[in-house]
Amino acid sequence: MRDKPSVLFVCVHNAGRSQMAAGWLTHLAAGRIEVRSAGSAPADQVNPIAVEAMREEGIDITGEQPKVLTMDAVESSDAVITMGCGDACPVFPGKRYEDWQLDDPAGQGIEMVRQVRDEIRTRVERLLTELTS
């Protein structure tokens, strides 16, 4: 048994929503939770607008790279949060799954990305409370 829960955030490109969610949880959990993110079809780089939106909140995700979703990553996570990857996301019995319906920030301006960022923060705060209480 691990000493802390692990969460995997998954979206298609692992460039926007899942990276912002991982950034928020890493920041807010302050080491209490193992945080991962991946994509079913990873992009070449993290969305620069998502990076900018997170920087406004004092969270630096510039060092992140989109990663490919693996069965191992899902299997070794306690909670899997998907964001619009549909059937591409594998399911394992006994895992906690949530699908967060969030607009895709790809190709969007900073105003829209800020809204998604703030919605993600609210959901991450709720998830953190559930995992640590």
Side-chain angles (χ1 to χ4, degrees), residues 52-68:
E52 182 181 339
M54 293 301 285
R55 185 180 298 125
E56 292 175 352
E57 296 293 318
I59 299 170
D60 182 8
I61 60 171
T62 53
E64 297 301 322
Q65 277 297 313
K67 292 169 280 304
V68 70

Side-chain angles (χ1 to χ4, degrees), residues 54-126:
M54 293 301 285
R55 185 180 298 125
E56 292 175 352
E57 296 293 318
I59 299 170
D60 182 8
I61 60 171
T62 53
E64 297 301 322
Q65 277 297 313
K67 292 169 280 304
V68 70
L69 177 64
T70 63
M71 292 295 212
D72 184 53
V74 175
E75 212 165 3
S76 61
S77 298
D78 298 306
V80 179
I81 311 298
T82 59
M83 303 170 191
C85 66
D87 296 338
C89 295
V91 174
F92 287 90
K95 300 290 175 191
R96 172 186 175 152
Y97 290 94
E98 288 182 32
D99 186 55
W100 292 356
Q101 298 295 320
L102 296 162
D103 292 330
D104 188 348
Q108 301 295 323
I110 188 74
E111 288 299 327
M112 185 273 197
V113 176
R114 284 181 184 130
Q115 290 172 11
V116 174
R117 174 200 68 201
D118 295 345
E119 172 68 16
I120 289 171
R121 178 181 184 148
T122 300
R123 292 175 188 231
V124 164
E125 287 172 338
R126 186 168 52 239

Side-chain angles (χ1 to χ4, degrees), residues 12-59:
V12 176
H13 300 301
N14 189 216
R17 293 166 291 187
S18 55
Q19 292 285 358
M20 289 192 289
W24 274 123
L25 186 56
T26 299
H27 176 74
L28 296 169
R32 293 176 290 164
I33 293 179
E34 185 180 339
V35 182
R36 303 183 185 111
S37 70
S40 53
D44 295 331
Q45 64 176 27
V46 176
N47 180 339
I49 305 294
V51 170
E52 182 181 339
M54 293 301 285
R55 185 180 298 125
E56 292 175 352
E57 296 293 318
I59 299 170

